[in-house]
């Protein structure tokens, strides 16, 4: 436990929010959450309350029907609503007005630097990017400051991550893609170019990756699991950020997505399932 953090509020309990709630509740934190769509939220809270009774988790979890109630006594608030800048700004502003002035507000955004959101709040020294990966299998998170974030806020965020057994990946200077997303993006980009340029088959690339890294799967299998529509959108966001034509994802990938070959979820992507 981090001394100054007892109550953690999560705003948005979708794919990522759900994982952040569960991971935090494993430790002795009070976890409060809010989602505009309450479907499934009571169920999640009840299931975690049962786990608490059976001593399977240490934390206490409650669902709140109003954002202000979820953040009223929070020390740390994680925003995990959809990837839309204006929505995130609105949520940050609501949190700023209704949470204790000392509370830290972090965004789980995949691509929006908190420096683009910070103008929505008064407490510009207490905001962070905390970008989680899929917590069921990848226990790490990028952590990045806004333009006015204090060292104290950053340290608390880092210690909180360590307390829930997530390895913090320190971003020293603001950058698009944080730490590991950027590394993975470079791998992905080269793989896509090898495929689209006809330089080698996907099987060769995956085979090489597996031998080299000793991982059980290669980049093309991983992209199929993520979803090729998601991969395409992410590549487009890098392209929009840089404006560099070399960052534009291959036309062949776009065509695959348009044909509905989205990977595992449609049984066909780079591979057939
Ligand atoms: N999906 C991933 O693999 C992944 C990984 C890392 C980071 N992220 C980031 O996490 C954030 C959430 O992504 P996700 O995949 O969990 O999305 P999601 O669509 O699964 O969940 C978003 C949740 O926010 C809720 N919501 C929408 N508007 C709201 C509002 N005004 N107030 C409260 N709740 C609201 C929705 O009902 C939904 O439950 C995004 O910023 C995304 O970029 C996603």
């Amino acid at each position: 436990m981090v001394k100054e953090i007892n109550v953690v509020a999560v705003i948005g309990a979708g794919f990522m929010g759900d994982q952040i709630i569960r991971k935090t509740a494993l430790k002795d934190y009070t976890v409060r959450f809010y989602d505009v769509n309450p479907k499934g939220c009571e169920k999640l809270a009840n299931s975690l309350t049962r786990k608490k009774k059976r001593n399977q988790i240490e934390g206490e979890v409650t669902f709140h029907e109003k954002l202000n109630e979820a953040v009223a006594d929070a020390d740390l608030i994680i925003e995990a609503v959809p990837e839309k800048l204006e929505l995130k700004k609105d949520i940050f502003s609501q949190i700023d007005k209704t949470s204790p002035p000392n509370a830290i507000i972090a965004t789980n955004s995949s691509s929006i630097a908190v420096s683009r959101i910070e103008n929505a709040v008064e407490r510009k020294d207490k905001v962070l990017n905390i970008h989680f990966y899929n917590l069921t299998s990848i226990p790490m998170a990028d952590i990045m400051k806004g333009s006015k974030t204090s060292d104290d806020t950053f340290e608390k965020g880092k210690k909180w991550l360590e307390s829930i057994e997530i390895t913090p990946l320190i971003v020293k200077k603001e950058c698009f893609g944080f730490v590991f997303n950027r590394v993975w993006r470079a791998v992905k980009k080269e793989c896509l170019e090898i495929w689209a340029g006809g330089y080698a088959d996907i099987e060769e690339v995956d085979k090489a990756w597996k031998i080299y890294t000793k991982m059980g799967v290669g980049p093309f299998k991983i992209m199929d699991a993520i979803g090729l529509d998601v991969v395409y959108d992410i590549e487009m966001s890098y392209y929009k950020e840089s404006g560099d034509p070399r960052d534009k994802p291959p036309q062949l990938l776009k065509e695959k997505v348009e044909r509905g070959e989205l990977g595992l979820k449609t049984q066909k992507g780079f591979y057939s399932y």
Side-chain angles (χ1 to χ4, degrees):
M1 292 279 291
V2 180
K3 217 167 72 196
E4 298 91 343
I5 297 177
N6 296 305
V7 180
V8 178
V10 178
I11 307 302
F15 179 70
M16 289 306 296
D18 177 284
Q19 294 182 46
I20 299 166
I21 293 162
R22 289 174 191 275
K23 188 75 184 168
T24 308
L26 286 174
K27 300 293 173 187
D28 189 15
Y29 287 105
T30 297
V31 186
R32 308 195 185 287
F33 70 101
Y34 163 77
D35 195 296
V36 74
N37 176 7
K39 196 169 165 259
C41 289
E42 290 287 359
K43 204 170 148 202
L44 172 63
N46 291 341
S47 132
L48 291 171
T49 302
R50 280 195 300 276
K51 285 193 174 192
K52 166 80 176 168
K53 284 190 184 136
R54 287 188 227 118
N55 290 326
Q56 289 167 331
I57 60 171
E58 292 179 23
E60 289 202 9
V61 181
T62 46
F63 166 61
H64 296 264
E65 286 183 1
K66 293 195 173 129
L67 182 145
N68 63 324
E69 287 170 8
V71 304
D73 62 349
D75 304 302
L76 168 67
I77 300 130
I78 312 280
E79 165 278 303
V81 302
E83 191 74 344
K84 295 194 177 89
L85 178 60
E86 288 313 313
L87 173 61
K88 288 189 188 282
K89 278 186 169 173
D90 177 43
I91 296 288
F92 262 58
S93 165
Q94 288 185 52
I95 295 171
D96 195 41
K97 291 188 184 113
T98 53
S99 66
N102 278 336
I104 295 171
I105 315 175
T107 175
N108 182 46
S109 170
S110 306
S111 63
I112 305 169
V114 76
S115 63
R116 292 192 191 170
I117 308 174
E118 67 191 20
N119 277 345
V121 301
E122 296 290 328
R123 63 186 89 186
K124 298 182 178 40
D125 59 325
K126 296 188 180 63
V127 298
L128 283 172
N129 277 98
I130 298 186
H131 169 253
F132 292 89
Y133 291 78
N134 187 337
L135 294 180
T136 50
S137 54
I138 312 173
M140 63 187 194
D142 298 293
I143 173 163
M144 186 170 91
K145 287 180 176 179
S147 72
K148 300 191 172 60
T149 307
S150 69
D151 290 344
D152 182 56
T153 298
F154 193 77
E155 262 320 289
K156 280 184 191 154
K158 187 171 154 271
K159 287 209 174 99
W160 172 70
L161 283 171
E162 286 164 347
S163 78
I164 59 167
E165 295 175 12
I166 300 288
T167 301
L169 307 173
I170 313 295
V171 184
K172 282 168 61 183
K173 198 159 88 176
E174 184 177 305
C175 86
F176 194 78
F178 312 113
V179 179
F180 191 73
N181 257 3
R182 210 171 147 162
V183 173
W184 165 233
R185 193 274 167 146
V187 172
K188 231 178 354 181
K189 182 170 182 289
E190 293 305 319
C191 290
L192 289 170
E193 280 177 20
I194 290 173
W195 162 71
Y199 299 107
D201 289 336
I202 56 170
E203 290 83 359
E204 290 305 295
V205 176
D206 277 359
K207 186 167 68 185
W209 181 264
K210 287 196 282 186
I211 294 170
Y212 188 79
T213 65
K214 316 234 170 349
M215 279 175 65
V217 284
F220 286 100
K221 267 269 160 72
I222 298 175
M223 284 190 262
D224 269 357
I226 292 169
L228 299 189
D229 48 343
V230 178
V231 170
Y232 180 77
D233 287 346
I234 294 171
E235 290 310 294
M236 281 302 290
S237 65
Y238 277 97
Y239 170 50
K240 282 182 198 148
E241 185 71 16
S242 74
D244 184 338
R246 285 173 301 181
D247 282 338
K248 196 172 180 187
Q251 177 66 16
L252 280 180
L253 179 65
K254 185 168 186 245
E255 288 167 12
K256 242 183 185 323
V257 171
E258 284 167 355
R259 284 198 301 273
E261 294 172 21
L262 306 182
L264 252 183
K265 59 188 163 192
T266 58
Q267 312 282 300
K268 189 167 165 56
F270 287 114
Y271 292 91
S272 293
Y273 299 86

